[in-house]
Amino acid sequence: MNFMDLKNLEIYNISMAMGEQIWTLVGQWKYFEKDTIGKQLVRSADSVAANISEGFGRYHYADSKHFFYFARGSLYETKTWIEKAKNRNLINPEDHNALITAINRLAVKLNNFIKTTGSKFPSGQ
């Protein structure tokens, strides 16, 4: 596996796009909102792609799965921060719905990817 292969991975591309969308959204907030919820939201969203990337770069599929599980945890953390942002009127309903839809779609794809990780490799790898 190499980095060029990673760029062809759908869950990676979706998570990268989500991180950029959240970065742009949070960038429009006032200082206090950026410094509290915004930083947490951006970090959790960026962690999804980062953990997918790190897992993809591991040699043993068991190591890879650990990082894919971390990515899934970060994805659900991101969902919580999106809900908090909505509850505190930091994002409009359209952005909220779009992000939650993207997160839910990515969660299904990530879960399916985790289930198949290791099934393509000979045992012992």
Side-chain angles (χ1 to χ4, degrees), residues 57-93:
R58 295 292 171 147
Y59 182 74
H60 297 283
Y61 72 85
D63 288 339
S64 295
K65 268 192 173 182
H66 286 349
F67 285 95
F68 300 146
Y69 287 135
F70 295 149
R72 186 172 64 190
S74 293
L75 183 63
Y76 282 91
E77 180 185 355
T78 301
K79 190 173 187 178
T80 296
W81 289 117
I82 293 294
E83 291 300 329
K84 285 184 171 285
K86 178 188 148 249
N87 293 344
R88 296 173 186 178
N89 297 313
L90 298 173
I91 59 174
N92 64 47

PDB file of all heavy atoms in Angstrom, residues 57-93:
ATOM      1  N   GLY A  57      -1.654   2.939   6.747  1.00  0.00           N
ATOM      2  CA  GLY A  57      -0.213   2.810   6.637  1.00  0.00           C
ATOM      3  C   GLY A  57       0.389   1.700   7.481  1.00  0.00           C
ATOM      4  O   GLY A  57       1.588   1.432   7.384  1.00  0.00           O
ATOM      5  N   ARG A  58      -0.401   1.052   8.300  1.00  0.00           N
ATOM      6  CA  ARG A  58       0.113  -0.034   9.145  1.00  0.00           C
ATOM      7  C   ARG A  58       0.272  -1.311   8.336  1.00  0.00           C
ATOM      8  O   ARG A  58      -0.489  -1.570   7.415  1.00  0.00           O
ATOM      9  CB  ARG A  58      -0.835  -0.279  10.325  1.00  0.00           C
ATOM     10  CG  ARG A  58      -0.932   0.885  11.276  1.00  0.00           C
ATOM     11  CD  ARG A  58       0.374   1.071  12.003  1.00  0.00           C
ATOM     12  NE  ARG A  58       0.387   2.315  12.761  1.00  0.00           N
ATOM     13  CZ  ARG A  58       1.019   2.449  13.904  1.00  0.00           C
ATOM     14  NH1 ARG A  58       1.682   1.448  14.431  1.00  0.00           N
ATOM     15  NH2 ARG A  58       0.999   3.608  14.524  1.00  0.00           N
ATOM     16  N   TYR A  59       1.248  -2.111   8.721  1.00  0.00           N
ATOM     17  CA  TYR A  59       1.537  -3.342   7.989  1.00  0.00           C
ATOM     18  C   TYR A  59       0.584  -4.462   8.357  1.00  0.00           C
ATOM     19  O   TYR A  59       0.110  -5.192   7.495  1.00  0.00           O
ATOM     20  CB  TYR A  59       2.990  -3.770   8.240  1.00  0.00           C
ATOM     21  CG  TYR A  59       3.370  -5.003   7.477  1.00  0.00           C
ATOM     22  CD1 TYR A  59       3.591  -4.944   6.100  1.00  0.00           C
ATOM     23  CD2 TYR A  59       3.491  -6.222   8.111  1.00  0.00           C
ATOM     24  CE1 TYR A  59       3.935  -6.080   5.381  1.00  0.00           C
ATOM     25  CE2 TYR A  59       3.834  -7.370   7.402  1.00  0.00           C
ATOM     26  CZ  TYR A  59       4.053  -7.289   6.043  1.00  0.00           C
ATOM     27  OH  TYR A  59       4.374  -8.411   5.335  1.00  0.00           O
ATOM     28  N   HIS A  60       0.297  -4.619   9.631  1.00  0.00           N
ATOM     29  CA  HIS A  60      -0.566  -5.707  10.094  1.00  0.00           C
ATOM     30  C   HIS A  60      -2.006  -5.230  10.184  1.00  0.00           C
ATOM     31  O   HIS A  60      -2.282  -4.156  10.722  1.00  0.00           O
ATOM     32  CB  HIS A  60      -0.104  -6.224  11.461  1.00  0.00           C
ATOM     33  CG  HIS A  60       1.258  -6.823  11.414  1.00  0.00           C
ATOM     34  ND1 HIS A  60       1.488  -8.069  10.899  1.00  0.00           N
ATOM     35  CD2 HIS A  60       2.461  -6.340  11.800  1.00  0.00           C
ATOM     36  CE1 HIS A  60       2.778  -8.336  10.973  1.00  0.00           C
ATOM     37  NE2 HIS A  60       3.396  -7.305  11.512  1.00  0.00           N
ATOM     38  N   TYR A  61      -2.924  -6.023   9.680  1.00  0.00           N
ATOM     39  CA  TYR A  61      -4.315  -5.591   9.648  1.00  0.00           C
ATOM     40  C   TYR A  61      -4.893  -5.379  11.041  1.00  0.00           C
ATOM     41  O   TYR A  61      -5.768  -4.542  11.229  1.00  0.00           O
ATOM     42  CB  TYR A  61      -5.180  -6.528   8.808  1.00  0.00           C
ATOM     43  CG  TYR A  61      -5.468  -7.883   9.405  1.00  0.00           C
ATOM     44  CD1 TYR A  61      -6.523  -8.054  10.292  1.00  0.00           C
ATOM     45  CD2 TYR A  61      -4.703  -8.990   9.071  1.00  0.00           C
ATOM     46  CE1 TYR A  61      -6.796  -9.295  10.835  1.00  0.00           C
ATOM     47  CE2 TYR A  61      -4.978 -10.229   9.605  1.00  0.00           C
ATOM     48  CZ  TYR A  61      -6.017 -10.375  10.500  1.00  0.00           C
ATOM     49  OH  TYR A  61      -6.298 -11.591  11.034  1.00  0.00           O
ATOM     50  N   ALA A  62      -4.389  -6.097  12.054  1.00  0.00           N
ATOM     51  CA  ALA A  62      -4.884  -5.874  13.417  1.00  0.00           C
ATOM     52  C   ALA A  62      -4.529  -4.470  13.890  1.00  0.00           C
ATOM     53  O   ALA A  62      -5.342  -3.794  14.537  1.00  0.00           O
ATOM     54  CB  ALA A  62      -4.321  -6.921  14.372  1.00  0.00           C
ATOM     55  N   ASP A  63      -3.318  -4.011  13.568  1.00  0.00           N
ATOM     56  CA  ASP A  63      -2.931  -2.628  13.895  1.00  0.00           C
ATOM     57  C   ASP A  63      -3.813  -1.639  13.137  1.00  0.00           C
ATOM     58  O   ASP A  63      -4.262  -0.633  13.686  1.00  0.00           O
ATOM     59  CB  ASP A  63      -1.470  -2.366  13.514  1.00  0.00           C
ATOM     60  CG  ASP A  63      -0.480  -3.064  14.416  1.00  0.00           C
ATOM     61  OD1 ASP A  63      -0.858  -3.427  15.549  1.00  0.00           O
ATOM     62  OD2 ASP A  63       0.675  -3.233  13.980  1.00  0.00           O
ATOM     63  N   SER A  64      -4.045  -1.940  11.871  1.00  0.00           N
ATOM     64  CA  SER A  64      -4.879  -1.060  11.053  1.00  0.00           C
ATOM     65  C   SER A  64      -6.266  -0.907  11.663  1.00  0.00           C
ATOM     66  O   SER A  64      -6.785   0.209  11.768  1.00  0.00           O
ATOM     67  CB  SER A  64      -5.015  -1.624   9.634  1.00  0.00           C
ATOM     68  OG  SER A  64      -3.777  -1.631   8.979  1.00  0.00           O
ATOM     69  N   LYS A  65      -6.859  -2.015  12.085  1.00  0.00           N
ATOM     70  CA  LYS A  65      -8.208  -1.970  12.653  1.00  0.00           C
ATOM     71  C   LYS A  65      -8.283  -1.064  13.869  1.00  0.00           C
ATOM     72  O   LYS A  65      -9.272  -0.356  14.052  1.00  0.00           O
ATOM     73  CB  LYS A  65      -8.685  -3.373  13.027  1.00  0.00           C
ATOM     74  CG  LYS A  65      -9.434  -4.057  11.942  1.00  0.00           C
ATOM     75  CD  LYS A  65     -10.118  -5.305  12.454  1.00  0.00           C
ATOM     76  CE  LYS A  65     -11.004  -5.860  11.361  1.00  0.00           C
ATOM     77  NZ  LYS A  65     -11.737  -7.034  11.767  1.00  0.00           N
ATOM     78  N   HIS A  66      -7.252  -1.079  14.703  1.00  0.00           N
ATOM     79  CA  HIS A  66      -7.262  -0.210  15.885  1.00  0.00           C
ATOM     80  C   HIS A  66      -7.436   1.253  15.474  1.00  0.00           C
ATOM     81  O   HIS A  66      -8.222   1.983  16.073  1.00  0.00           O
ATOM     82  CB  HIS A  66      -5.984  -0.368  16.700  1.00  0.00           C
ATOM     83  CG  HIS A  66      -5.901  -1.636  17.481  1.00  0.00           C
ATOM     84  ND1 HIS A  66      -6.938  -2.497  17.662  1.00  0.00           N
ATOM     85  CD2 HIS A  66      -4.881  -2.192  18.155  1.00  0.00           C
ATOM     86  CE1 HIS A  66      -6.577  -3.522  18.393  1.00  0.00           C
ATOM     87  NE2 HIS A  66      -5.305  -3.365  18.709  1.00  0.00           N
ATOM     88  N   PHE A  67      -6.700   1.663  14.459  1.00  0.00           N
ATOM     89  CA  PHE A  67      -6.801   3.050  14.023  1.00  0.00           C
ATOM     90  C   PHE A  67      -8.132   3.336  13.338  1.00  0.00           C
ATOM     91  O   PHE A  67      -8.666   4.440  13.460  1.00  0.00           O
ATOM     92  CB  PHE A  67      -5.608   3.424  13.138  1.00  0.00           C
ATOM     93  CG  PHE A  67      -4.363   3.613  13.951  1.00  0.00           C
ATOM     94  CD1 PHE A  67      -3.465   2.575  14.103  1.00  0.00           C
ATOM     95  CD2 PHE A  67      -4.126   4.805  14.610  1.00  0.00           C
ATOM     96  CE1 PHE A  67      -2.334   2.723  14.875  1.00  0.00           C
ATOM     97  CE2 PHE A  67      -2.994   4.971  15.386  1.00  0.00           C
ATOM     98  CZ  PHE A  67      -2.091   3.929  15.529  1.00  0.00           C
ATOM     99  N   PHE A  68      -8.689   2.350  12.663  1.00  0.00           N
ATOM    100  CA  PHE A  68     -10.012   2.550  12.071  1.00  0.00           C
ATOM    101  C   PHE A  68     -11.070   2.672  13.162  1.00  0.00           C
ATOM    102  O   PHE A  68     -12.023   3.440  13.029  1.00  0.00           O
ATOM    103  CB  PHE A  68     -10.344   1.427  11.088  1.00  0.00           C
ATOM    104  CG  PHE A  68      -9.365   1.314   9.943  1.00  0.00           C
ATOM    105  CD1 PHE A  68      -9.059   0.078   9.400  1.00  0.00           C
ATOM    106  CD2 PHE A  68      -8.743   2.433   9.411  1.00  0.00           C
ATOM    107  CE1 PHE A  68      -8.160  -0.042   8.346  1.00  0.00           C
ATOM    108  CE2 PHE A  68      -7.838   2.331   8.365  1.00  0.00           C
ATOM    109  CZ  PHE A  68      -7.544   1.095   7.830  1.00  0.00           C
ATOM    110  N   TYR A  69     -10.893   1.951  14.261  1.00  0.00           N
ATOM    111  CA  TYR A  69     -11.801   2.111  15.412  1.00  0.00           C
ATOM    112  C   TYR A  69     -11.649   3.507  16.022  1.00  0.00           C
ATOM    113  O   TYR A  69     -12.636   4.128  16.415  1.00  0.00           O
ATOM    114  CB  TYR A  69     -11.531   1.051  16.478  1.00  0.00           C
ATOM    115  CG  TYR A  69     -11.997  -0.337  16.137  1.00  0.00           C
ATOM    116  CD1 TYR A  69     -11.172  -1.436  16.357  1.00  0.00           C
ATOM    117  CD2 TYR A  69     -13.265  -0.576  15.602  1.00  0.00           C
ATOM    118  CE1 TYR A  69     -11.593  -2.726  16.052  1.00  0.00           C
ATOM    119  CE2 TYR A  69     -13.692  -1.860  15.297  1.00  0.00           C
ATOM    120  CZ  TYR A  69     -12.848  -2.932  15.525  1.00  0.00           C
ATOM    121  OH  TYR A  69     -13.266  -4.198  15.229  1.00  0.00           O
ATOM    122  N   PHE A  70     -10.414   3.996  16.104  1.00  0.00           N
ATOM    123  CA  PHE A  70     -10.202   5.364  16.603  1.00  0.00           C
ATOM    124  C   PHE A  70     -10.895   6.367  15.688  1.00  0.00           C
ATOM    125  O   PHE A  70     -11.494   7.341  16.157  1.00  0.00           O
ATOM    126  CB  PHE A  70      -8.710   5.701  16.698  1.00  0.00           C
ATOM    127  CG  PHE A  70      -7.933   4.897  17.690  1.00  0.00           C
ATOM    128  CD1 PHE A  70      -6.597   4.619  17.464  1.00  0.00           C
ATOM    129  CD2 PHE A  70      -8.516   4.410  18.855  1.00  0.00           C
ATOM    130  CE1 PHE A  70      -5.852   3.885  18.373  1.00  0.00           C
ATOM    131  CE2 PHE A  70      -7.781   3.668  19.774  1.00  0.00           C
ATOM    132  CZ  PHE A  70      -6.445   3.403  19.534  1.00  0.00           C
ATOM    133  N   ALA A  71     -10.804   6.139  14.383  1.00  0.00           N
ATOM    134  CA  ALA A  71     -11.473   7.018  13.421  1.00  0.00           C
ATOM    135  C   ALA A  71     -12.978   7.028  13.667  1.00  0.00           C
ATOM    136  O   ALA A  71     -13.618   8.085  13.642  1.00  0.00           O
ATOM    137  CB  ALA A  71     -11.171   6.578  11.983  1.00  0.00           C
ATOM    138  N   ARG A  72     -13.534   5.843  13.913  1.00  0.00           N
ATOM    139  CA  ARG A  72     -14.976   5.756  14.181  1.00  0.00           C
ATOM    140  C   ARG A  72     -15.328   6.505  15.461  1.00  0.00           C
ATOM    141  O   ARG A  72     -16.327   7.230  15.508  1.00  0.00           O
ATOM    142  CB  ARG A  72     -15.412   4.297  14.266  1.00  0.00           C
ATOM    143  CG  ARG A  72     -16.921   4.157  14.403  1.00  0.00           C
ATOM    144  CD  ARG A  72     -17.382   2.739  14.296  1.00  0.00           C
ATOM    145  NE  ARG A  72     -16.857   1.931  15.384  1.00  0.00           N
ATOM    146  CZ  ARG A  72     -16.941   0.608  15.440  1.00  0.00           C
ATOM    147  NH1 ARG A  72     -17.493  -0.071  14.462  1.00  0.00           N
ATOM    148  NH2 ARG A  72     -16.458  -0.054  16.463  1.00  0.00           N
ATOM    149  N   GLY A  73     -14.509   6.380  16.483  1.00  0.00           N
ATOM    150  CA  GLY A  73     -14.750   7.125  17.724  1.00  0.00           C
ATOM    151  C   GLY A  73     -14.704   8.625  17.492  1.00  0.00           C
ATOM    152  O   GLY A  73     -15.554   9.370  17.994  1.00  0.00           O
ATOM    153  N   SER A  74     -13.742   9.077  16.721  1.00  0.00           N
ATOM    154  CA  SER A  74     -13.641  10.505  16.400  1.00  0.00           C
ATOM    155  C   SER A  74     -14.823  10.976  15.580  1.00  0.00           C
ATOM    156  O   SER A  74     -15.297  12.110  15.731  1.00  0.00           O
ATOM    157  CB  SER A  74     -12.339  10.793  15.649  1.00  0.00           C
ATOM    158  OG  SER A  74     -11.237  10.583  16.487  1.00  0.00           O
ATOM    159  N   LEU A  75     -15.329  10.106  14.719  1.00  0.00           N
ATOM    160  CA  LEU A  75     -16.503  10.458  13.919  1.00  0.00           C
ATOM    161  C   LEU A  75     -17.712  10.695  14.821  1.00  0.00           C
ATOM    162  O   LEU A  75     -18.443  11.675  14.650  1.00  0.00           O
ATOM    163  CB  LEU A  75     -16.790   9.351  12.908  1.00  0.00           C
ATOM    164  CG  LEU A  75     -17.938   9.608  11.944  1.00  0.00           C
ATOM    165  CD1 LEU A  75     -17.643  10.809  11.046  1.00  0.00           C
ATOM    166  CD2 LEU A  75     -18.201   8.364  11.097  1.00  0.00           C
ATOM    167  N   TYR A  76     -17.901   9.820  15.789  1.00  0.00           N
ATOM    168  CA  TYR A  76     -19.034   9.999  16.706  1.00  0.00           C
ATOM    169  C   TYR A  76     -18.829  11.190  17.628  1.00  0.00           C
ATOM    170  O   TYR A  76     -19.792  11.872  17.998  1.00  0.00           O
ATOM    171  CB  TYR A  76     -19.314   8.701  17.469  1.00  0.00           C
ATOM    172  CG  TYR A  76     -20.065   7.727  16.593  1.00  0.00           C
ATOM    173  CD1 TYR A  76     -19.395   6.800  15.801  1.00  0.00           C
ATOM    174  CD2 TYR A  76     -21.447   7.779  16.502  1.00  0.00           C
ATOM    175  CE1 TYR A  76     -20.080   5.939  14.970  1.00  0.00           C
ATOM    176  CE2 TYR A  76     -22.144   6.920  15.670  1.00  0.00           C
ATOM    177  CZ  TYR A  76     -21.461   5.999  14.908  1.00  0.00           C
ATOM    178  OH  TYR A  76     -22.149   5.161  14.070  1.00  0.00           O
ATOM    179  N   GLU A  77     -17.591  11.479  17.987  1.00  0.00           N
ATOM    180  CA  GLU A  77     -17.315  12.696  18.755  1.00  0.00           C
ATOM    181  C   GLU A  77     -17.675  13.925  17.926  1.00  0.00           C
ATOM    182  O   GLU A  77     -18.286  14.880  18.434  1.00  0.00           O
ATOM    183  CB  GLU A  77     -15.839  12.752  19.160  1.00  0.00           C
ATOM    184  CG  GLU A  77     -15.506  14.009  19.955  1.00  0.00           C
ATOM    185  CD  GLU A  77     -14.034  14.160  20.279  1.00  0.00           C
ATOM    186  OE1 GLU A  77     -13.225  13.251  19.978  1.00  0.00           O
ATOM    187  OE2 GLU A  77     -13.679  15.217  20.840  1.00  0.00           O
ATOM    188  N   THR A  78     -17.324  13.894  16.654  1.00  0.00           N
ATOM    189  CA  THR A  78     -17.661  14.998  15.751  1.00  0.00           C
ATOM    190  C   THR A  78     -19.166  15.209  15.703  1.00  0.00           C
ATOM    191  O   THR A  78     -19.655  16.348  15.742  1.00  0.00           O
ATOM    192  CB  THR A  78     -17.104  14.714  14.337  1.00  0.00           C
ATOM    193  OG1 THR A  78     -15.688  14.565  14.428  1.00  0.00           O
ATOM    194  CG2 THR A  78     -17.455  15.831  13.372  1.00  0.00           C
ATOM    195  N   LYS A  79     -19.906  14.115  15.663  1.00  0.00           N
ATOM    196  CA  LYS A  79     -21.372  14.199  15.635  1.00  0.00           C
ATOM    197  C   LYS A  79     -21.898  14.904  16.889  1.00  0.00           C
ATOM    198  O   LYS A  79     -22.802  15.738  16.811  1.00  0.00           O
ATOM    199  CB  LYS A  79     -21.965  12.795  15.519  1.00  0.00           C
ATOM    200  CG  LYS A  79     -23.444  12.759  15.247  1.00  0.00           C
ATOM    201  CD  LYS A  79     -23.892  11.330  14.978  1.00  0.00           C
ATOM    202  CE  LYS A  79     -25.329  11.270  14.539  1.00  0.00           C
ATOM    203  NZ  LYS A  79     -25.751   9.892  14.238  1.00  0.00           N
ATOM    204  N   THR A  80     -21.309  14.605  18.018  1.00  0.00           N
ATOM    205  CA  THR A  80     -21.718  15.257  19.269  1.00  0.00           C
ATOM    206  C   THR A  80     -21.436  16.753  19.226  1.00  0.00           C
ATOM    207  O   THR A  80     -22.286  17.563  19.621  1.00  0.00           O
ATOM    208  CB  THR A  80     -20.997  14.610  20.470  1.00  0.00           C
ATOM    209  OG1 THR A  80     -21.426  13.250  20.573  1.00  0.00           O
ATOM    210  CG2 THR A  80     -21.300  15.349  21.770  1.00  0.00           C
ATOM    211  N   TRP A  81     -20.249  17.138  18.742  1.00  0.00           N
ATOM    212  CA  TRP A  81     -19.924  18.568  18.660  1.00  0.00           C
ATOM    213  C   TRP A  81     -20.840  19.289  17.670  1.00  0.00           C
ATOM    214  O   TRP A  81     -21.215  20.446  17.895  1.00  0.00           O
ATOM    215  CB  TRP A  81     -18.454  18.769  18.307  1.00  0.00           C
ATOM    216  CG  TRP A  81     -17.539  18.411  19.431  1.00  0.00           C
ATOM    217  CD1 TRP A  81     -16.598  17.424  19.435  1.00  0.00           C
ATOM    218  CD2 TRP A  81     -17.486  19.013  20.723  1.00  0.00           C
ATOM    219  NE1 TRP A  81     -15.969  17.386  20.656  1.00  0.00           N
ATOM    220  CE2 TRP A  81     -16.491  18.351  21.471  1.00  0.00           C
ATOM    221  CE3 TRP A  81     -18.185  20.057  21.345  1.00  0.00           C
ATOM    222  CZ2 TRP A  81     -16.165  18.689  22.780  1.00  0.00           C
ATOM    223  CZ3 TRP A  81     -17.865  20.394  22.658  1.00  0.00           C
ATOM    224  CH2 TRP A  81     -16.871  19.720  23.358  1.00  0.00           C
ATOM    225  N   ILE A  82     -21.233  18.609  16.601  1.00  0.00           N
ATOM    226  CA  ILE A  82     -22.177  19.209  15.647  1.00  0.00           C
ATOM    227  C   ILE A  82     -23.516  19.450  16.340  1.00  0.00           C
ATOM    228  O   ILE A  82     -24.149  20.496  16.158  1.00  0.00           O
ATOM    229  CB  ILE A  82     -22.353  18.299  14.404  1.00  0.00           C
ATOM    230  CG1 ILE A  82     -21.064  18.238  13.584  1.00  0.00           C
ATOM    231  CG2 ILE A  82     -23.535  18.745  13.546  1.00  0.00           C
ATOM    232  CD1 ILE A  82     -20.667  19.540  12.934  1.00  0.00           C
ATOM    233  N   GLU A  83     -23.959  18.494  17.135  1.00  0.00           N
ATOM    234  CA  GLU A  83     -25.221  18.656  17.874  1.00  0.00           C
ATOM    235  C   GLU A  83     -25.122  19.822  18.861  1.00  0.00           C
ATOM    236  O   GLU A  83     -26.054  20.618  18.990  1.00  0.00           O
ATOM    237  CB  GLU A  83     -25.593  17.364  18.602  1.00  0.00           C
ATOM    238  CG  GLU A  83     -25.998  16.232  17.685  1.00  0.00           C
ATOM    239  CD  GLU A  83     -27.217  16.542  16.821  1.00  0.00           C
ATOM    240  OE1 GLU A  83     -28.107  17.311  17.247  1.00  0.00           O
ATOM    241  OE2 GLU A  83     -27.268  16.015  15.694  1.00  0.00           O
ATOM    242  N   LYS A  84     -24.004  19.921  19.554  1.00  0.00           N
ATOM    243  CA  LYS A  84     -23.824  21.031  20.496  1.00  0.00           C
ATOM    244  C   LYS A  84     -23.823  22.372  19.751  1.00  0.00           C
ATOM    245  O   LYS A  84     -24.403  23.345  20.223  1.00  0.00           O
ATOM    246  CB  LYS A  84     -22.529  20.861  21.300  1.00  0.00           C
ATOM    247  CG  LYS A  84     -22.634  19.801  22.376  1.00  0.00           C
ATOM    248  CD  LYS A  84     -21.358  19.766  23.196  1.00  0.00           C
ATOM    249  CE  LYS A  84     -21.531  18.887  24.397  1.00  0.00           C
ATOM    250  NZ  LYS A  84     -22.338  19.503  25.446  1.00  0.00           N
ATOM    251  N   ALA A  85     -23.169  22.413  18.604  1.00  0.00           N
ATOM    252  CA  ALA A  85     -23.139  23.645  17.815  1.00  0.00           C
ATOM    253  C   ALA A  85     -24.543  24.037  17.372  1.00  0.00           C
ATOM    254  O   ALA A  85     -24.911  25.220  17.398  1.00  0.00           O
ATOM    255  CB  ALA A  85     -22.215  23.477  16.613  1.00  0.00           C
ATOM    256  N   LYS A  86     -25.333  23.064  16.997  1.00  0.00           N
ATOM    257  CA  LYS A  86     -26.725  23.336  16.607  1.00  0.00           C
ATOM    258  C   LYS A  86     -27.527  23.846  17.806  1.00  0.00           C
ATOM    259  O   LYS A  86     -28.241  24.844  17.710  1.00  0.00           O
ATOM    260  CB  LYS A  86     -27.381  22.083  16.048  1.00  0.00           C
ATOM    261  CG  LYS A  86     -28.847  22.281  15.677  1.00  0.00           C
ATOM    262  CD  LYS A  86     -29.483  20.946  15.309  1.00  0.00           C
ATOM    263  CE  LYS A  86     -30.929  20.960  15.691  1.00  0.00           C
ATOM    264  NZ  LYS A  86     -31.319  20.102  16.764  1.00  0.00           N
ATOM    265  N   ASN A  87     -27.373  23.169  18.938  1.00  0.00           N
ATOM    266  CA  ASN A  87     -28.118  23.563  20.139  1.00  0.00           C
ATOM    267  C   ASN A  87     -27.762  24.962  20.610  1.00  0.00           C
ATOM    268  O   ASN A  87     -28.582  25.629  21.244  1.00  0.00           O
ATOM    269  CB  ASN A  87     -27.861  22.566  21.273  1.00  0.00           C
ATOM    270  CG  ASN A  87     -28.432  21.199  20.977  1.00  0.00           C
ATOM    271  OD1 ASN A  87     -29.267  21.035  20.089  1.00  0.00           O
ATOM    272  ND2 ASN A  87     -27.963  20.198  21.703  1.00  0.00           N
ATOM    273  N   ARG A  88     -26.557  25.403  20.298  1.00  0.00           N
ATOM    274  CA  ARG A  88     -26.098  26.740  20.722  1.00  0.00           C
ATOM    275  C   ARG A  88     -26.177  27.756  19.590  1.00  0.00           C
ATOM    276  O   ARG A  88     -25.591  28.833  19.659  1.00  0.00           O
ATOM    277  CB  ARG A  88     -24.679  26.620  21.279  1.00  0.00           C
ATOM    278  CG  ARG A  88     -24.675  25.756  22.535  1.00  0.00           C
ATOM    279  CD  ARG A  88     -23.312  25.455  23.043  1.00  0.00           C
ATOM    280  NE  ARG A  88     -23.417  24.506  24.151  1.00  0.00           N
ATOM    281  CZ  ARG A  88     -22.390  24.002  24.807  1.00  0.00           C
ATOM    282  NH1 ARG A  88     -21.152  24.353  24.464  1.00  0.00           N
ATOM    283  NH2 ARG A  88     -22.567  23.148  25.787  1.00  0.00           N
ATOM    284  N   ASN A  89     -26.934  27.394  18.551  1.00  0.00           N
ATOM    285  CA  ASN A  89     -27.202  28.285  17.417  1.00  0.00           C
ATOM    286  C   ASN A  89     -25.939  28.762  16.705  1.00  0.00           C
ATOM    287  O   ASN A  89     -25.873  29.897  16.235  1.00  0.00           O
ATOM    288  CB  ASN A  89     -28.056  29.484  17.859  1.00  0.00           C
ATOM    289  CG  ASN A  89     -29.402  29.044  18.353  1.00  0.00           C
ATOM    290  OD1 ASN A  89     -30.076  28.233  17.722  1.00  0.00           O
ATOM    291  ND2 ASN A  89     -29.785  29.543  19.523  1.00  0.00           N
ATOM    292  N   LEU A  90     -24.956  27.883  16.599  1.00  0.00           N
ATOM    293  CA  LEU A  90     -23.728  28.216  15.890  1.00  0.00           C
ATOM    294  C   LEU A  90     -23.760  27.757  14.433  1.00  0.00           C
ATOM    295  O   LEU A  90     -22.982  28.243  13.614  1.00  0.00           O
ATOM    296  CB  LEU A  90     -22.519  27.592  16.599  1.00  0.00           C
ATOM    297  CG  LEU A  90     -22.288  28.084  18.022  1.00  0.00           C
ATOM    298  CD1 LEU A  90     -21.181  27.276  18.692  1.00  0.00           C
ATOM    299  CD2 LEU A  90     -21.947  29.567  18.021  1.00  0.00           C
ATOM    300  N   ILE A  91     -24.631  26.807  14.131  1.00  0.00           N
ATOM    301  CA  ILE A  91     -24.789  26.380  12.743  1.00  0.00           C
ATOM    302  C   ILE A  91     -26.273  26.383  12.399  1.00  0.00           C
ATOM    303  O   ILE A  91     -27.114  26.158  13.270  1.00  0.00           O
ATOM    304  CB  ILE A  91     -24.177  24.987  12.460  1.00  0.00           C
ATOM    305  CG1 ILE A  91     -24.794  23.903  13.332  1.00  0.00           C
ATOM    306  CG2 ILE A  91     -22.675  25.012  12.623  1.00  0.00           C
ATOM    307  CD1 ILE A  91     -24.319  22.502  12.980  1.00  0.00           C
ATOM    308  N   ASN A  92     -26.558  26.659  11.165  1.00  0.00           N
ATOM    309  CA  ASN A  92     -27.953  26.703  10.731  1.00  0.00           C
ATOM    310  C   ASN A  92     -28.470  25.282  10.495  1.00  0.00           C
ATOM    311  O   ASN A  92     -27.675  24.341  10.354  1.00  0.00           O
ATOM    312  CB  ASN A  92     -28.110  27.603   9.501  1.00  0.00           C
ATOM    313  CG  ASN A  92     -27.377  27.075   8.295  1.00  0.00           C
ATOM    314  OD1 ASN A  92     -27.467  25.899   7.955  1.00  0.00           O
ATOM    315  ND2 ASN A  92     -26.633  27.961   7.630  1.00  0.00           N
ATOM    316  N   PRO A  93     -29.771  25.117  10.432  1.00  0.00           N
ATOM    317  CA  PRO A  93     -30.341  23.773  10.253  1.00  0.00           C
ATOM    318  C   PRO A  93     -29.876  23.066   8.977  1.00  0.00           C
ATOM    319  O   PRO A  93     -29.690  21.848   8.977  1.00  0.00           O
ATOM    320  CB  PRO A  93     -31.847  24.026  10.213  1.00  0.00           C
ATOM    321  CG  PRO A  93     -32.042  25.301  10.954  1.00  0.00           C
ATOM    322  CD  PRO A  93     -30.811  26.123  10.667  1.00  0.00           C
TER     323      PRO A  93
END
